[in-house]
Amino acid sequence: MSSVMLARTGAFAYAKYGWESTFKGGASTRDKVFGRGQRVSSITRNENPEKVFELGDRPAKLIVYKGFEGSASFDFFVSNPWIFRAVMGNVSTTGTGPYTHTYTVAKLPPSMEIEVGFQGSGGNVVRMLRGAVVNTFSLTAAVNEIVRGRLDVLYADEVITSTLGSTIVDVFEPFTFAHGTLEVPAGNVIAEVQSFDMTLANNALLVWGLGDIKASSAVWQAFDPTGRISVTMKDASFLNKLRTTDTNGRLVLNFSPNHQIIFNFDGVGYGEHTVGYEPNALVVEEVPILMRGLTSIQAINNVATHP
């Protein structure tokens, strides 16, 4: 009797990552997760094929494979802060407990090796995404929701094995909308925020050299943080902010005194305002914001050494 191989769900999958000491050299350990409720939204491996046509005939005569490119997206509930090293680049730790881990913008990206495993009914598939650098990080905090994060990465190499690793579940609790406050400018808490979206774009670029189909390095181009505020309309405050710039701002995720993440903005500008009025419905303002920079991300917890 022949065995039947059945389809399987994400219950047979896992994802985790570790830091590389050299670009696309792999990590010695992959012992971190992005957050709680992880989802691997997509992994795209592109060999960049191109058909070659010749004079004298209509069908292509050849398919040529060019440089290798990889990209992947991960969705999760924001809980631990460790991934912000990959988002920002620099990290330093101060304090004697609780400890403050401060992330600042670096000029060059650190790289990760991301392990994505799947126990298929016909065989295991373990993909090692090497030379992975963060292209964008997005955060969404909305009323009655868990704070969500999304990570988009580029990667330079991929190794496929069949040796499954262990599944890791984060020890930190995820944040919810009830744990967040938005201050613009810093110290001025905005009331009745319905949602806040933030995107930190690193504009990552893989760099190739002659003699190898795989990228030899990666760079970050312009650092471009943007956001959007959705807030119940009470007066003309946000209308009056158009064509102005606040000196700074702050998003605080505060689970407890020993579990906080603070985003410190530098220069918040307002160029657009949208509002609609419906019978028997909340009047909500939609305000996109530009941020000149992100001074720092501060994570406060009881972990003495950044993993």
Side-chain angles (χ1 to χ4, degrees):
M1 179 182 292
S2 61
S3 60
V4 178
M5 292 185 290
L6 302 176
R8 289 185 169 179
T9 70
F12 293 87
Y14 67 88
K16 54 188 179 179
Y17 72 96
W19 307 116
E20 293 183 331
S21 56
T22 58
F23 183 74
K24 72 177 182 184
S28 58
T29 57
R30 294 167 298 282
D31 56 359
K32 288 171 285 296
V33 290
F34 302 120
R36 299 298 294 263
Q38 291 189 128
R39 286 159 174 75
V40 182
S41 301
S42 66
I43 302 175
T44 301
R45 175 173 172 161
N46 187 355
E47 305 288 349
N48 283 296
E50 182 176 337
K51 292 187 286 187
V52 178
F53 296 85
E54 303 286 359
L55 294 173
D57 207 348
R58 293 181 61 236
K61 298 298 184 183
L62 188 67
I63 295 176
V64 176
Y65 292 94
K66 300 177 293 184
F68 172 92
E69 291 180 276
S71 62
S73 297
F74 304 89
D75 290 279
F76 51 93
F77 297 129
V78 176
S79 52
N80 77 74
W82 313 131
I83 193 59
F84 293 126
R85 178 189 171 194
V87 176
M88 299 287 281
N90 293 326
V91 61
S92 60
T93 300
T94 58
T96 57
Y99 302 89
T100 300
H101 310 283
T102 301
Y103 305 86
T104 54
V105 175
K107 294 181 179 180
L108 293 173
S111 63
M112 303 174 285
E113 181 180 43
I114 303 172
E115 178 180 342
V116 180
F118 177 66
Q119 184 184 12
S121 59
N124 302 327
V125 182
V126 180
R127 304 175 70 174
M128 303 293 190
L129 315 182
R130 293 181 173 176
V133 298
V134 173
N135 188 31
T136 62
F137 168 78
S138 301
L139 178 146
T140 300
V143 166
N144 210 27
E145 296 282 349
I146 303 175
V147 177
R148 297 174 181 270
R150 180 182 177 88
L151 198 71
D152 295 306
V153 304
L154 305 179
Y155 67 92
D157 194 7
E158 181 174 334
V159 176
I160 299 175
T161 73
S162 59
T163 304
L164 287 173
S166 59
T167 300
I168 301 173
V169 177
D170 195 14
V171 297
F172 285 88
E173 295 288 332
F175 296 93
T176 73
F177 79 101
H179 300 127
T181 57
L182 180 64
E183 306 170 13
V184 183
N188 177 44
V189 177
I190 300 176
E192 295 184 353
V193 173
Q194 300 301 291
S195 66
F196 176 73
D197 300 329
M198 177 180 63
T199 298
L200 306 179
N202 281 314
N203 291 293
L205 180 69
L206 295 175
V207 181
W208 286 264
L210 291 174
D212 194 347
I213 65 169
K214 297 172 182 176
S216 57
S217 64
V219 296
W220 278 339
Q221 301 176 98
F223 180 67
D224 186 18
T226 56
R228 175 179 290 270
I229 303 169
S230 175
V231 60
T232 59
M233 190 171 190
K234 295 174 284 294
D235 52 34
S237 295
F238 276 106
L239 278 169
N240 293 333
K241 281 182 177 289
L242 293 175
R243 302 189 71 87
T244 67
T245 301
D246 281 315
T247 55
N248 51 37
R250 184 167 62 180
L251 172 67
V252 180
L253 300 177
N254 186 1
F255 197 94
S256 71
N258 295 340
H259 185 19
Q260 299 182 54
I261 301 177
I262 304 168
F263 299 84
N264 298 296
F265 315 133
D266 179 21
V268 180
Y270 310 87
E272 182 182 330
H273 179 280
T274 302
V275 67
Y277 305 92
E278 298 286 343
N280 304 312
L282 279 176
V283 176
V284 176
E285 301 172 275
E286 298 289 341
V287 186
I289 59 175
L290 298 177
M291 292 172 272
R292 193 167 61 84
L294 194 65
T295 306
S296 66
I297 301 173
Q298 294 173 299
I300 301 171
N301 53 48
N302 285 323
V303 179
T305 303
H306 197 283

